[in-house]
Structure formats: C-alpha cells, structure tokens
Amino acid sequence: MTTNQRLSRADFHHSDNASEQVQVCVRLRPAVGTGQGQEAPCVRGVDSHSLEILNWRNEMETMKYRFDAFYGEAATQQDVYMGSVQPLLHHLLKGQNASILAYGPTGAGKTHTMLGNPDHPGVIPRAVRDVLQMTRDASEDKCKYSVSMSYLEIYQEKVLDLLQPSLRDLPIREDRNHNILVPDLTQKEITNFADFERHFLPASRKRTVASTQLNQRSSRSHTVLLVLVNQIQNWLTYSHQTAKLCLIDLAGSEDNRRTGNKGLRLKESGAINSSLFVLSKVVDALNQGLPRVPYRDSKLTRLLQDSLGGSAHSLIIANIAPEKKYYFDTLTSLNFAAKSKQIVNKPFTQKALLQTGSRKPAKPGETETLSNQAETGRSLSDGKRPCPGFSDADPEAKRPCLQVQPGPSEEKPLSSLLPLENLDPTLAERLLRLEALEKEKAGSSTLPLLNTPRRERLNVLKLLDETRRELKRVKEKQTEMEAQTLKNKGALFLQAANPRKQATVLPLQQVQTPIKSQEEEESVIKKQKTRGRKKKIQEFDSENKAPSKWEVEIHPDQLAHSKIKILSLMNSGSVKDLMDLHLIGKKKAELIVSWRENYGSFQKVQDLEKIHSITAKQVDSFIKANILKFLKS
C-alpha cells in the first residue's frame, strides 16, 4: 500500500433515500391571440397537480395527466421557484448534485421561466442568489464554502464556452467516480450576486439566437449553467466535498413548416430536433431498464448523464402552450414529462478525506490550491491530490484545499501504532524484526524511483520513453536532410563541371521512318498525343513538388493590397460574393457569414483558421489562389 493510498480515500455517503424519482412539474403559459379557431385553448388545469387536454381522436373526451406540480396561466415566477426549485437547493450543502431542466416546444416560455426579466427574475438568478446566501450562512470556522460558475452552450453538437467564447469544441469526459465533466471549461469564482451578474449577463448575450416566424428571439442552442459549491472542513476530518447545480435551458423542438426555417436556420433546427430525439430515447431506455442507455449518441444527453438516471436530485419543468395550433407539440411534451417522472436517480455525497497520524492542521505554506481539473484522483508529482470538479482555465478561481500529504520521513513506524506490551512476545519480536529489515532495504536502495508511488513512476517512465522516441525521430529527420543536401550539392557540382552537355530532343518527325499507309500515320499521331499528355502531367507534377516562390516574386505592396481586397470582401460580401473566390464553396461561404454575424469582422485573412473545419493549410491555399486573382483585377 502506497503513501497516497494510506492517507487519502474517497467515501460515498448515500442520502437518506437511496433512490428517488425525477420530479416533474408543468407550467402553462398565458394564451396569446383572439381565443377563437386555432387560437382557442385545448388544455386546462384541474388542480395544483393535474391537468387535462382534449383527445385529438374525439374532442368530446379529454386525457388527464398528473405531475408533482401544475402551474396554470396565473402562476408567477415566484410560485414556480418556491414551489418546485428552492426545495432542491439544500442538497448542495450536503455535497449532493441537483439539476433543473426546462423542456418544451419553441415559444412555450422556457427561457422566460429560466431567465425571466429584471421585474420578474426566473429560476437561474433566484437559485444563484439563494445558493450564495446559504453558503454564507453555513460557513463557520470549522467549515468553509466557496461558489464558482461555468456557462456553456451546445450549438450544432459542439460544446462552446460562453464565458470565454471561441470556436473550440470542448470534450465531455467521465472521471473514475462516474462524474460527468468538461475539461478546460472556464470557471469563475463568485462571492456575491454582483459577481454573478458581471460574468453571466455578457455571456448570456453571446448565446446563439435568431428570429423565426414563431419567435422573435428563438434559442438556437441548449445552454447549461454550472454552479459548483465546494465545502472545506478544516477540523477533525479535514474533508472536502463538491456539489454541482446544473441549470439547463433547452432549445425547443421545431416544425420547419411553421417556422419557415431555411439555410443555416434549417441546419440548426435539425441539430436541435436530433438531440431532443436522443433525449427521448434515453428516457425510454431508462424506463424499460435496457442494458444500454444511449447517452453518448448526443452531446446533450452525455452532459445530462448525471441528471437522468444518475446521482442528482433532478427537476424537469415542462413548458406548454394552450392554443390548439400547438396541440401536438403540447401532447408530445406532456408524454415526455410523464415518462420522465418514472426515472429513478440515486443521489449520494462524495467526500474526500485526508487522514494523518496526528491530524494536525497544515501550515500556511503546505496548503494546496483548488485546481478544478477534469480527472480527479490523479496523483501529482509533489505528493498532492487534486480536488474533484470541473476544469478551470481561470487562475482567479482557485481556493485553498487539502493538505500536502506527508512524505515517507513523516510516517510513524508500525511498532508505534500497536501496544507492544499487550502483544504476544513472539509476535512483537517478529514485528520489530520486519521493521528493521524494511529500514535496511530502504537505506540500501540506490534507485530513486523505487520509493515513488506506482502511478508517478509509470508516468515518469512513459515520459522518458516518449522523449527517446522523439529524439530518434529528430535524428532520422536530420540524417535525411543531410543526405538530401549532399545530393543537391552533387547535382550542382556535375552541372557546373559539364555546362555544355545537354540532351537534345529532336522532333518526332525527324527520327521517324517514312509513313507508308494511312493506318500507320494515325498510329503515329496517336502516340505523339499520348507522349504530349504524359509530358504535361510530368511538368505539372514537377511544378507542384517544387517549393513555391509566389510570395517572393510578387511585390510586397501588391501583396498587401490584394490581401486588403480579400479581407474587405470577407467582411462585407454576401454568400454569393464569397462563392466567387477560389476554393470557397457554398458551405464555406455560409460558415464565413455566420462567424461574421456572431463574432464581428475579421481582422486579417488568416482569421479564417478560427472557423471550425477550415485548417491553416486550407487558408494558405486560399490566399495563394486569390492573390493572383486580385492582382489581375
């Protein structure tokens, strides 16, 4: 057993209810329109838990649904929050995860429920305010809390960071304790609600939205706000536990015949509907107890693996519209909510304990910072262990964490842990003998890696092996370059020594025998054409293999002028204008216009590398092809 294994372990404390069902509430938004015809209502509430909807097969009948809560048209943001959301938040102080998810068709009021407005704040601002207040009230000398946040969106099956926007698609990982996490996701520490607003409001404006025929600001992506609550206990057990609150605003399913989506909007709605279909498949698989649940078929369901059938206290807020024209969307949402209510989660508390012989508090210089790296449990080379949580690219979001684990010199001998006077003399003598033999072997050890924990030793050996292979590749490349240089020098030397020796190629007509028949003449002409094609192909290949000199041959002023013209066209041209450029098809032109709408003008032509699926090599080829075009114009 290594030092790390003796001094640190992760304990899992299950909640009082070992398992619990996902809670589901339904919110009916107020009716819009005249209330006649297709705008007439088709849903009505029965009581605070039930509602009924018309049976589309027979409008004289209704179908009744019952949930944990039902909020009618007159329900306020405060009613929804106090009735269903706030009761989940106290689990965070116990180190247990919680998840609130807004589901429903487009235009049903999901974003209003989650965000609200300054006069009627939604679930997200209310929940964050209460979490900050709870951690302040619960903090004391023996137990300290810290809160941090991350914000991301899933746009066309790409996970994008909203706190530090870029086009990089972040991966989703699972650690050894089956916690779902996102490495390299930006994390900001928040100590009060003003800190939250300073980070969240600019980030929420960067979410991808667009106008459709059903909604002026339709969400084109799923957004997830992650609030991480860290508890550090510095007395008796020196423990650390982390709880995660997920606040999810899903994009609504769309019927493209009604929304009028075309082009990029159509592609976005396809990605949204596909991810929601996988979400429905996950719910069905969990209810049927299938051996494989398709979490990995979508980025959204992979991120929700903790929330559905996982370790979180989960709440689904199903938003529906009352009008008849949304009947089938409403019916689908109610059926999804009814199936989700049968999902069973198993919440538990994960607590990391640091146990030392004397349990003395660490000195100020021996504390470790809370680096929210993705892989928990990985041993550091200096004997520290990271705390669980999400990766943090922000150096400001680091907090004091566990003590540095003592080295072998601080370990107490085995004999000090047992009362030798109460042991059998033979057993005590054997214990002392084994202790002396261990010290003797430790003193005679000459290899420094023998006293290193196994994981660190394997990492060092792996790094050494990779370094050796890299050196070998560099030496082989250097040898190849030297051989090529010698070959080139030899060719130049031969050319200089025999400047007048050049091969003379005579025309084919001068070396051919006289043509006697028409068939032989046609055969000769055919051979000439074949040789000419082969010669052109060889010349083309030799030109492509030779190093390009285009940048040297073009005057710098002309080169800069051409790049300015290309950049101007990139920043102001339409899709059709961009398709006139060489190597730019319709798909790349749409990507350029989309990037320009979301992130502003390009600063230089090389910024095309920031667009997903366009590589640096493609950008170089694009510049070379279009420089000559603009020089001619």
Side-chain angles (χ1 to χ4, degrees):
M1 182 179 293
T2 63
T3 303
N4 287 342
Q5 289 171 329
R6 278 201 300 270
L7 297 179
S8 179
R9 74 175 189 269
D11 291 345
F12 298 91
H13 303 285
H14 288 267
S15 60
D16 297 335
N17 296 326
S19 61
E20 65 174 32
Q21 289 182 325
V22 172
Q23 298 182 41
V24 178
C25 68
V26 174
R27 185 179 191 185
L28 178 66
R29 74 157 169 79
V32 178
T34 60
Q36 304 295 327
Q38 286 296 308
E39 294 180 350
C42 63
V43 180
R44 73 179 185 89
V46 178
D47 53 38
S48 61
H49 295 278
S50 305
L51 72 155
E52 58 184 11
I53 182 172
L54 294 177
N55 187 346
W56 63 278
R57 294 185 178 90
N58 182 4
E59 292 193 2
M60 301 301 294
E61 299 177 355
T62 60
M63 295 179 289
K64 190 173 181 180
Y65 290 84
R66 183 175 179 83
F67 300 100
D68 294 291
F70 169 71
Y71 300 98
E73 299 180 11
T76 64
Q77 301 276 57
Q78 177 76 1
D79 296 335
V80 176
Y81 177 75
M82 297 300 294
S84 297
V85 178
Q86 193 184 49
L88 296 180
L89 301 183
H90 74 276
H91 296 292
L92 299 173
L93 300 183
K94 301 177 183 178
Q96 298 172 10
N97 298 335
S99 178
I100 292 95
L101 183 146
Y103 179 90
T106 184
K110 299 181 300 299
T111 302
H112 175 71
T113 298
M114 296 302 291
L115 293 180
N117 53 54
D119 296 328
H120 304 283
V123 170
I124 288 178
R126 292 174 186 268
V128 173
R129 188 186 298 274
D130 281 357
V131 168
L132 291 170
Q133 185 61 44
M134 286 191 306
T135 54
R136 280 195 297 266
D137 295 341
S139 294
E140 53 187 17
D141 294 338
K142 302 173 185 178
C143 181
K144 298 294 183 182
Y145 287 91
S146 63
V147 181
S148 54
M149 62 170 284
S150 300
Y151 197 28
L152 62 89
E153 71 172 347
I154 303 176
Y155 176 71
Q156 295 192 28
E157 283 302 295
K158 291 191 285 289
V159 179
L160 305 177
D161 192 344
L162 289 176
L163 292 181
Q164 288 187 353
S166 67
L167 293 179
R168 180 187 175 191
D169 182 12
L170 300 178
I172 301 175
R173 298 284 184 257
E174 182 176 358
D175 66 11
R176 64 177 183 177
N177 294 327
H178 306 292
N179 296 315
I180 302 301
L181 40 88
V182 182
D184 301 329
L185 182 64
T186 303
Q187 190 169 321
K188 300 289 187 181
E189 183 182 358
I190 52 177
T191 57
N192 51 52
F193 194 74
D195 290 344
F196 168 73
E197 287 183 322
R198 187 173 69 253
H199 299 308
F200 180 77
L201 294 180
S204 62
R205 287 191 287 268
K206 296 170 186 174
R207 179 183 181 179
T208 307
V209 296
S211 175
T212 67
Q213 293 181 5
L214 295 181
N215 197 346
Q216 188 65 26
R217 285 180 55 85
S218 175
S219 301
R220 316 309 298 165
S221 64
H222 311 295
T223 59
V224 181
L225 175 66
L226 301 168
V227 180
L228 207 64
V229 179
N230 300 298
Q231 180 193 32
I232 305 167
Q233 189 167 354
N234 295 322
W235 181 80
L236 192 59
T237 58
Y238 305 104
S239 63
H240 169 270
Q241 66 184 25
T242 302
K244 179 178 61 177
L245 172 63
C246 293
L247 300 164
I248 304 137
D249 182 12
L250 297 180
S253 58
E254 293 186 337
D255 184 349
N256 294 310
R257 293 169 296 182
R258 291 188 314 197
T259 57
N261 290 331
K262 295 180 181 180
L264 184 59
R265 300 286 88 83
L266 185 64
K267 186 177 179 180
E268 291 170 347
S269 66
I272 293 170
N273 292 340
S274 177
S275 62
L276 293 176
F277 175 69
V278 176
L279 178 61
S280 179
K281 286 171 57 180
V282 166
V283 172
D284 288 338
L286 290 171
N287 288 336
Q288 297 172 20
L290 299 182
R292 179 187 178 273
V293 181
Y295 289 115
R296 295 176 182 268
D297 291 0
S298 167
K299 295 289 184 67
L300 173 65
T301 52
R302 180 61 168 158
L303 201 61
L304 294 179
Q305 188 168 339
D306 283 342
S307 305
L308 299 175
S311 60
H313 299 269
S314 296
L315 167 68
I316 295 178
I317 305 175
N319 294 263
I320 59 175
E323 294 85 5
K324 276 188 177 181
K325 61 182 179 181
Y326 300 114
Y327 176 83
F328 287 103
D329 290 335
T330 300
L331 185 62
T332 301
S333 299
L334 291 175
N335 289 335
F336 173 84
K339 291 187 294 184
S340 300
K341 193 177 183 302
Q342 303 174 24
I343 297 176
V344 176
N345 289 354
K346 295 183 178 180
F348 61 83
T349 300
Q350 179 181 341
K351 181 179 294 186
L353 301 179
L354 183 67
Q355 296 179 341
T356 61
S358 60
R359 292 198 176 185
K360 293 181 181 179
K363 297 179 181 179
E366 296 178 349
T367 55
E368 178 186 345
T369 57
L370 173 58
S371 177
N372 294 308
Q373 297 298 329
E375 298 176 359
T376 61
R378 176 178 295 178
S379 299
L380 303 180
S381 58
D382 57 355
K384 301 178 184 178
R385 295 182 66 83
C387 301
F390 285 84
S391 175
D392 183 10
D394 184 13
E396 298 178 358
K398 296 184 177 181
R399 299 285 296 170
C401 188
L402 303 181
Q403 292 174 277
V404 173
Q405 299 168 1
S409 60
E410 300 177 3
E411 294 183 10
K412 291 191 175 184
L414 295 175
S415 58
S416 65
L417 302 178
L418 296 173
L420 297 181
E421 61 275 7
N422 297 332
L423 291 179
D424 181 72
T426 306
L427 182 60
E429 182 181 358
R430 185 179 300 173
L431 178 62
L432 293 173
R433 192 182 304 163
L434 288 173
E435 199 171 278
L437 182 61
E438 184 181 2
K439 289 181 180 179
E440 182 180 352
K441 288 185 177 180
S444 61
S445 176
T446 57
L447 294 177
L449 286 180
L450 292 180
N451 292 330
T452 308
R454 181 174 180 273
R455 186 188 294 270
E456 297 177 24
R457 184 166 66 252
L458 292 177
N459 289 339
V460 171
L461 293 176
K462 182 179 178 181
L463 179 62
L464 180 62
D465 185 48
E466 291 177 354
T467 305
R468 287 173 177 171
R469 287 201 299 268
E470 184 66 25
L471 287 174
K472 185 178 179 180
R473 285 196 295 268
V474 171
K475 288 181 180 179
E476 291 176 354
K477 189 173 181 180
Q478 182 179 1
T479 304
E480 184 181 350
M481 293 177 65
E482 289 176 354
Q484 185 67 27
T485 304
L486 292 174
K487 184 178 179 181
N488 294 339
K489 287 183 179 179
L492 291 174
F493 177 75
L494 291 176
Q495 186 177 1
N498 302 303
R500 297 181 181 179
K501 280 191 175 182
Q502 294 183 356
T504 304
V505 180
L506 297 177
L508 186 63
Q509 291 81 355
Q510 297 181 14
V511 297
Q512 291 291 333
T513 57
I515 301 174
K516 296 181 179 180
S517 65
Q518 186 176 0
E519 294 180 357
E520 291 178 354
E521 183 177 1
E522 291 176 355
S523 176
V524 170
I525 293 173
K526 189 174 182 180
K527 289 181 180 179
Q528 290 178 358
K529 291 181 178 180
T530 303
R531 291 175 183 172
R533 283 198 298 268
K534 289 183 178 179
K535 184 176 179 182
K536 289 181 179 180
I537 291 173
Q538 291 175 355
E539 291 175 354
F540 179 77
D541 291 340
S542 63
E543 289 177 1
N544 288 343
K545 291 179 181 177
S548 177
K549 305 268 186 182
W550 63 277
E551 289 184 345
V552 178
E553 295 173 358
I554 298 175
H555 194 274
D557 294 340
Q558 295 176 333
L559 183 63
H561 181 68
S562 298
K563 287 186 176 181
I564 291 173
K565 285 187 174 182
I566 296 174
L567 183 62
S568 175
L569 186 57
M570 287 166 51
N571 287 327
S572 59
S574 63
V575 173
K576 185 176 180 181
D577 296 335
L578 293 172
M579 288 175 63
D580 292 338
L581 295 174
H582 295 302
L583 304 182
I584 296 295
K586 184 176 180 180
K587 182 178 179 180
K588 289 184 179 179
E590 290 177 349
L591 289 174
I592 293 173
V593 173
S594 176
W595 193 95
R596 191 174 67 202
E597 291 176 355
N598 291 328
Y599 302 101
S601 300
F602 294 91
Q603 300 299 320
K604 53 184 179 180
V605 182
Q606 286 77 6
D607 285 347
L608 285 174
E609 298 178 18
K610 298 180 179 180
I611 299 178
H612 181 67
S613 77
I614 298 182
T615 63
K617 187 175 180 181
Q618 291 175 339
V619 173
D620 291 339
S621 302
F622 165 76
I623 295 175
K624 293 177 184 179
N626 290 282
I627 284 292
L628 298 177
K629 174 182 178 181
F630 282 95
L631 285 176
K632 295 177 183 179
S633 61

